[in-house]
Amino acid sequence: MGSTARRHNWTFLTNHARVLVTIARDPAVRLRDVAVTCALTERTVQTIVADLESDGYLQRVRDGRRNRYEISAGAVFKHPAEAGVQVAGLLALLTGVPAAENSPEPAAE
């Protein structure tokens, strides 16, 4: 029987997921702190946040001289294997905050 080399350098979450989870834990977090937490460069985090914004996962809101981030209520996974499943459930699992608290309430009509 041949031996198989084991790969130990992979992880379950993508950098995009890590950044989103970090922001969900602290919506007023500075991107430089997100970079440290996620072991990424600040430029990479800026690019990921821009991706998440353009795809509707979060919004950047100006709060004085700083930014605050709001996770989009009802955002769903993009991959066909998870199509239609809301991201809020994953954020609740990884942040320890119930899904309703991770995202703002939908605006009243």
Side-chain angles (χ1 to χ4, degrees):
M1 229 172 165
S3 67
T4 58
R6 297 191 75 174
R7 292 178 37 188
H8 297 285
N9 61 348
W10 64 275
T11 63
F12 280 105
L13 298 178
T14 66
N15 289 336
H16 282 67
R18 277 190 199 91
V19 168
L20 191 61
V21 167
T22 303
I23 290 171
R25 286 180 177 144
D26 179 5
V29 69
R30 295 179 307 172
L31 294 188
R32 121 180 10 154
D33 296 328
V34 174
V36 170
T37 299
C38 297
L40 299 168
T41 66
E42 194 170 342
R43 181 69 187 133
T44 297
V45 170
Q46 290 170 347
T47 300
I48 289 171
V49 167
D51 288 346
L52 293 169
E53 279 186 289
S54 69
D55 287 347
Y57 288 97
L58 60 82
Q59 295 88 39
R60 186 182 331 216
V61 177
R62 206 64 184 151
D63 187 9
R65 293 178 48 179
R66 302 206 35 201
N67 289 319
R68 182 169 187 79
Y69 300 91
E70 295 178 354
I71 307 296
S72 301
V76 296
F77 289 103
K78 291 172 55 171
H79 193 279
E82 299 89 29
V85 176
Q86 290 192 359
V87 174
L90 177 68
L91 294 177
L93 176 68
L94 296 175
T95 64
V97 178
E101 294 178 35
N102 272 329
S103 55
E105 291 294 320
E109 294 181 26

